Amino acid sequence: MFSWYGEVSKNERRTFWACFGGWALDALDVQMFSLVIPAIIAEWGISKTEAGLVSGVTLIASALGGWICGAAADRIGRVRTLQITVAWFSVFTLLSAFAQNFPEFIVLKALQGFGFGGEWAAGAVLMAETIRNQHRGKAMGAVQSAWAVGWAAAVLLYAAVFSFLPPAMGWRVMFAVGMLPALLVIYIRRHIKEPEAPAAKIKKDGGAVERMPLLSIFAPDVLRMTLIGGLLGVGAHGGYSALTTWLPTFLKTERHLSVLGTGGYLAVIILAFFCGCLAASVLLDAIGRRQTILLFSVCCVATVILYVFLPMSNHAMLALGFPLGFFAAGIPASMGALFNELYPRGTRGTGVGFCYNFGRVVSAGFPVLVGHLASQFSLGFAIGTSAAFAYAIVVVSILMLPETRGRTLADEPAA
């Protein structure tokens, strides 16, 4: 599974770890909110729908950040854009700890989301253009597993902080820790090089990189890829957001688990997510991008329905939590490689940033929808219905995209 790591160059390994660290720290910052929703609801007396609105606004901002910063990566370079976005979301995560009221908190979370979306876009293109073709799927799938590492760190931090501090102080301490990712900028600045492909383009054109506007991804030769890729993003992010935003609250309020009990359940799902990313990384280069995403999305629909609809004991839920996390991992672990291989070099950052993050705009409605449905039905029903519908969208969209396994990242769009 990891034999490819010994075959890549020192620069490829450094780039891998820089993107791995950035994605893990992103997850730490983002997943903290889902864990502290009950504390924030209690402090400001907001409804579940309003709490879901925070996630919705953050997702919209991250979508804009992904699109705009993806275009910036095409203009000023992948590495420089990555540095800026990591510093950006770190600062606004820290400032969120000092929000004095709910409106301030929403604004700060939106600004955090802008940097978070931009970081993924810049990092994904940097990875795709640095790692050689035969190992691209494995490397990018493995990087996605960093989300589980950051998620686990958030759960451990939550368990530690909320065991010793009152909720009103605990959630602020957690967000203050979110400043840590800024340290990654120092490593990136010293050790990561701009991919060779853009450098060659600069030399060939006498020092000027081709400038592609934000709307270039809607040109006739790539329009179909943009529309279907965006639809895939809607399903992938919609299902994931419906699950992860509300799952801790579901376990605590409807399953009545303690802080440590909730952490135990999440630990199973997080471990499964990590394993699922690694499994997808192998399958991407073995059976292809389309078959991998199709397999994981079909399995997601089935396991989500079982997890929240079947009457089960807590131990049965714990056992089923592993396949839930495992299959939920395969889709995001596959999207980076697929989207990079759909676009030509000059507009790749813009296209990858848009397709991955457009789904965030539409999927922003899923946490809000779950909160709204939960006011009329059970929270489990709301989560299950929303997530199953989202993953069904993934099944439909992936069937309309071409297979891109082994494709060289050239100047021409995918057929």
Side-chain angles (χ1 to χ4, degrees), residues 23-29 31 145-155:
W23 196 230
L25 293 169
D26 269 0
L28 172 68
D29 285 3
Q31 292 299 140
S145 70
W147 187 267
V149 175
W151 191 359
V155 172

PDB file of all heavy atoms in Angstrom, residues 23-29 31 145-155:
ATOM      1  N   TRP A  23      -4.024  19.704   5.471  1.00  0.00           N
ATOM      2  CA  TRP A  23      -5.375  19.139   5.465  1.00  0.00           C
ATOM      3  C   TRP A  23      -5.764  18.658   6.864  1.00  0.00           C
ATOM      4  O   TRP A  23      -6.917  18.808   7.293  1.00  0.00           O
ATOM      5  CB  TRP A  23      -5.454  18.004   4.462  1.00  0.00           C
ATOM      6  CG  TRP A  23      -6.831  17.586   4.065  1.00  0.00           C
ATOM      7  CD1 TRP A  23      -7.323  16.322   4.055  1.00  0.00           C
ATOM      8  CD2 TRP A  23      -7.889  18.416   3.587  1.00  0.00           C
ATOM      9  NE1 TRP A  23      -8.622  16.314   3.606  1.00  0.00           N
ATOM     10  CE2 TRP A  23      -8.997  17.591   3.331  1.00  0.00           C
ATOM     11  CE3 TRP A  23      -8.006  19.794   3.370  1.00  0.00           C
ATOM     12  CZ2 TRP A  23     -10.216  18.074   2.855  1.00  0.00           C
ATOM     13  CZ3 TRP A  23      -9.216  20.284   2.891  1.00  0.00           C
ATOM     14  CH2 TRP A  23     -10.296  19.440   2.635  1.00  0.00           C
ATOM     15  N   ALA A  24      -4.828  18.087   7.619  1.00  0.00           N
ATOM     16  CA  ALA A  24      -5.102  17.648   8.985  1.00  0.00           C
ATOM     17  C   ALA A  24      -5.446  18.838   9.883  1.00  0.00           C
ATOM     18  O   ALA A  24      -6.385  18.780  10.687  1.00  0.00           O
ATOM     19  CB  ALA A  24      -3.898  16.892   9.551  1.00  0.00           C
ATOM     20  N   LEU A  25      -4.717  19.917   9.734  1.00  0.00           N
ATOM     21  CA  LEU A  25      -4.970  21.093  10.551  1.00  0.00           C
ATOM     22  C   LEU A  25      -6.259  21.786  10.133  1.00  0.00           C
ATOM     23  O   LEU A  25      -6.952  22.386  10.956  1.00  0.00           O
ATOM     24  CB  LEU A  25      -3.777  22.041  10.463  1.00  0.00           C
ATOM     25  CG  LEU A  25      -2.498  21.486  11.111  1.00  0.00           C
ATOM     26  CD1 LEU A  25      -1.287  22.356  10.754  1.00  0.00           C
ATOM     27  CD2 LEU A  25      -2.660  21.400  12.628  1.00  0.00           C
ATOM     28  N   ASP A  26      -6.585  21.717   8.833  1.00  0.00           N
ATOM     29  CA  ASP A  26      -7.902  22.185   8.385  1.00  0.00           C
ATOM     30  C   ASP A  26      -9.002  21.440   9.128  1.00  0.00           C
ATOM     31  O   ASP A  26      -9.956  22.035   9.628  1.00  0.00           O
ATOM     32  CB  ASP A  26      -8.071  21.909   6.883  1.00  0.00           C
ATOM     33  CG  ASP A  26      -7.612  23.072   6.027  1.00  0.00           C
ATOM     34  OD1 ASP A  26      -7.164  24.069   6.591  1.00  0.00           O
ATOM     35  OD2 ASP A  26      -7.684  22.968   4.795  1.00  0.00           O
ATOM     36  N   ALA A  27      -8.886  20.123   9.165  1.00  0.00           N
ATOM     37  CA  ALA A  27      -9.902  19.289   9.809  1.00  0.00           C
ATOM     38  C   ALA A  27     -10.021  19.613  11.288  1.00  0.00           C
ATOM     39  O   ALA A  27     -11.132  19.656  11.843  1.00  0.00           O
ATOM     40  CB  ALA A  27      -9.558  17.813   9.623  1.00  0.00           C
ATOM     41  N   LEU A  28      -8.894  19.839  11.939  1.00  0.00           N
ATOM     42  CA  LEU A  28      -8.913  20.209  13.353  1.00  0.00           C
ATOM     43  C   LEU A  28      -9.769  21.446  13.564  1.00  0.00           C
ATOM     44  O   LEU A  28     -10.638  21.478  14.449  1.00  0.00           O
ATOM     45  CB  LEU A  28      -7.485  20.464  13.838  1.00  0.00           C
ATOM     46  CG  LEU A  28      -7.342  21.057  15.251  1.00  0.00           C
ATOM     47  CD1 LEU A  28      -7.772  20.037  16.295  1.00  0.00           C
ATOM     48  CD2 LEU A  28      -5.898  21.496  15.509  1.00  0.00           C
ATOM     49  N   ASP A  29      -9.543  22.467  12.749  1.00  0.00           N
ATOM     50  CA  ASP A  29     -10.279  23.718  12.901  1.00  0.00           C
ATOM     51  C   ASP A  29     -11.763  23.557  12.565  1.00  0.00           C
ATOM     52  O   ASP A  29     -12.631  24.063  13.275  1.00  0.00           O
ATOM     53  CB  ASP A  29      -9.662  24.797  11.999  1.00  0.00           C
ATOM     54  CG  ASP A  29      -8.348  25.324  12.561  1.00  0.00           C
ATOM     55  OD1 ASP A  29      -7.904  24.804  13.608  1.00  0.00           O
ATOM     56  OD2 ASP A  29      -7.761  26.234  11.955  1.00  0.00           O
ATOM     57  N   GLN A  31     -13.736  20.712  12.313  1.00  0.00           N
ATOM     58  CA  GLN A  31     -14.519  19.751  13.087  1.00  0.00           C
ATOM     59  C   GLN A  31     -14.778  20.219  14.510  1.00  0.00           C
ATOM     60  O   GLN A  31     -15.675  19.698  15.181  1.00  0.00           O
ATOM     61  CB  GLN A  31     -13.809  18.400  13.106  1.00  0.00           C
ATOM     62  CG  GLN A  31     -13.772  17.701  11.755  1.00  0.00           C
ATOM     63  CD  GLN A  31     -15.165  17.409  11.218  1.00  0.00           C
ATOM     64  OE1 GLN A  31     -15.434  17.555  10.041  1.00  0.00           O
ATOM     65  NE2 GLN A  31     -16.068  16.992  12.079  1.00  0.00           N
ATOM     66  N   SER A 145      -6.607  11.179   3.878  1.00  0.00           N
ATOM     67  CA  SER A 145      -6.728  10.525   5.183  1.00  0.00           C
ATOM     68  C   SER A 145      -6.295  11.442   6.317  1.00  0.00           C
ATOM     69  O   SER A 145      -6.613  11.188   7.488  1.00  0.00           O
ATOM     70  CB  SER A 145      -5.898   9.240   5.211  1.00  0.00           C
ATOM     71  OG  SER A 145      -4.501   9.517   5.218  1.00  0.00           O
ATOM     72  N   ALA A 146      -5.580  12.505   5.982  1.00  0.00           N
ATOM     73  CA  ALA A 146      -5.172  13.475   7.006  1.00  0.00           C
ATOM     74  C   ALA A 146      -6.375  14.123   7.664  1.00  0.00           C
ATOM     75  O   ALA A 146      -6.284  14.600   8.801  1.00  0.00           O
ATOM     76  CB  ALA A 146      -4.274  14.547   6.384  1.00  0.00           C
ATOM     77  N   TRP A 147      -7.507  14.135   6.946  1.00  0.00           N
ATOM     78  CA  TRP A 147      -8.719  14.704   7.547  1.00  0.00           C
ATOM     79  C   TRP A 147      -9.093  13.920   8.809  1.00  0.00           C
ATOM     80  O   TRP A 147      -9.507  14.506   9.816  1.00  0.00           O
ATOM     81  CB  TRP A 147      -9.867  14.673   6.544  1.00  0.00           C
ATOM     82  CG  TRP A 147     -11.094  15.377   7.030  1.00  0.00           C
ATOM     83  CD1 TRP A 147     -12.155  14.841   7.689  1.00  0.00           C
ATOM     84  CD2 TRP A 147     -11.367  16.779   6.926  1.00  0.00           C
ATOM     85  NE1 TRP A 147     -13.087  15.808   7.981  1.00  0.00           N
ATOM     86  CE2 TRP A 147     -12.624  17.000   7.532  1.00  0.00           C
ATOM     87  CE3 TRP A 147     -10.681  17.858   6.367  1.00  0.00           C
ATOM     88  CZ2 TRP A 147     -13.211  18.270   7.591  1.00  0.00           C
ATOM     89  CZ3 TRP A 147     -11.265  19.121   6.438  1.00  0.00           C
ATOM     90  CH2 TRP A 147     -12.508  19.318   7.039  1.00  0.00           C
ATOM     91  N   ALA A 148      -8.940  12.602   8.756  1.00  0.00           N
ATOM     92  CA  ALA A 148      -9.247  11.782   9.921  1.00  0.00           C
ATOM     93  C   ALA A 148      -8.295  12.089  11.072  1.00  0.00           C
ATOM     94  O   ALA A 148      -8.692  12.071  12.245  1.00  0.00           O
ATOM     95  CB  ALA A 148      -9.165  10.300   9.552  1.00  0.00           C
ATOM     96  N   VAL A 149      -7.037  12.380  10.748  1.00  0.00           N
ATOM     97  CA  VAL A 149      -6.058  12.721  11.783  1.00  0.00           C
ATOM     98  C   VAL A 149      -6.465  14.015  12.483  1.00  0.00           C
ATOM     99  O   VAL A 149      -6.466  14.105  13.723  1.00  0.00           O
ATOM    100  CB  VAL A 149      -4.651  12.850  11.167  1.00  0.00           C
ATOM    101  CG1 VAL A 149      -3.647  13.323  12.229  1.00  0.00           C
ATOM    102  CG2 VAL A 149      -4.204  11.537  10.566  1.00  0.00           C
ATOM    103  N   GLY A 150      -6.823  15.039  11.697  1.00  0.00           N
ATOM    104  CA  GLY A 150      -7.255  16.295  12.287  1.00  0.00           C
ATOM    105  C   GLY A 150      -8.560  16.162  13.040  1.00  0.00           C
ATOM    106  O   GLY A 150      -8.759  16.788  14.094  1.00  0.00           O
ATOM    107  N   TRP A 151      -9.475  15.358  12.504  1.00  0.00           N
ATOM    108  CA  TRP A 151     -10.755  15.108  13.160  1.00  0.00           C
ATOM    109  C   TRP A 151     -10.534  14.436  14.517  1.00  0.00           C
ATOM    110  O   TRP A 151     -11.131  14.821  15.530  1.00  0.00           O
ATOM    111  CB  TRP A 151     -11.597  14.237  12.244  1.00  0.00           C
ATOM    112  CG  TRP A 151     -13.040  14.074  12.616  1.00  0.00           C
ATOM    113  CD1 TRP A 151     -13.694  14.600  13.696  1.00  0.00           C
ATOM    114  CD2 TRP A 151     -14.028  13.320  11.893  1.00  0.00           C
ATOM    115  NE1 TRP A 151     -15.017  14.216  13.690  1.00  0.00           N
ATOM    116  CE2 TRP A 151     -15.247  13.432  12.610  1.00  0.00           C
ATOM    117  CE3 TRP A 151     -13.985  12.557  10.725  1.00  0.00           C
ATOM    118  CZ2 TRP A 151     -16.420  12.806  12.166  1.00  0.00           C
ATOM    119  CZ3 TRP A 151     -15.151  11.939  10.295  1.00  0.00           C
ATOM    120  CH2 TRP A 151     -16.356  12.070  11.008  1.00  0.00           C
ATOM    121  N   ALA A 152      -9.646  13.447  14.538  1.00  0.00           N
ATOM    122  CA  ALA A 152      -9.331  12.763  15.792  1.00  0.00           C
ATOM    123  C   ALA A 152      -8.718  13.730  16.804  1.00  0.00           C
ATOM    124  O   ALA A 152      -9.043  13.686  17.997  1.00  0.00           O
ATOM    125  CB  ALA A 152      -8.372  11.601  15.522  1.00  0.00           C
ATOM    126  N   ALA A 153      -7.849  14.603  16.315  1.00  0.00           N
ATOM    127  CA  ALA A 153      -7.239  15.589  17.208  1.00  0.00           C
ATOM    128  C   ALA A 153      -8.298  16.510  17.799  1.00  0.00           C
ATOM    129  O   ALA A 153      -8.232  16.876  18.985  1.00  0.00           O
ATOM    130  CB  ALA A 153      -6.194  16.399  16.446  1.00  0.00           C
ATOM    131  N   ALA A 154      -9.292  16.877  16.997  1.00  0.00           N
ATOM    132  CA  ALA A 154     -10.377  17.731  17.491  1.00  0.00           C
ATOM    133  C   ALA A 154     -11.189  17.019  18.568  1.00  0.00           C
ATOM    134  O   ALA A 154     -11.559  17.617  19.586  1.00  0.00           O
ATOM    135  CB  ALA A 154     -11.280  18.146  16.330  1.00  0.00           C
ATOM    136  N   VAL A 155     -11.470  15.729  18.374  1.00  0.00           N
ATOM    137  CA  VAL A 155     -12.228  14.963  19.361  1.00  0.00           C
ATOM    138  C   VAL A 155     -11.445  14.822  20.662  1.00  0.00           C
ATOM    139  O   VAL A 155     -11.990  14.978  21.762  1.00  0.00           O
ATOM    140  CB  VAL A 155     -12.597  13.572  18.802  1.00  0.00           C
ATOM    141  CG1 VAL A 155     -13.224  12.697  19.891  1.00  0.00           C
ATOM    142  CG2 VAL A 155     -13.574  13.707  17.637  1.00  0.00           C
TER     143      VAL A 155
END
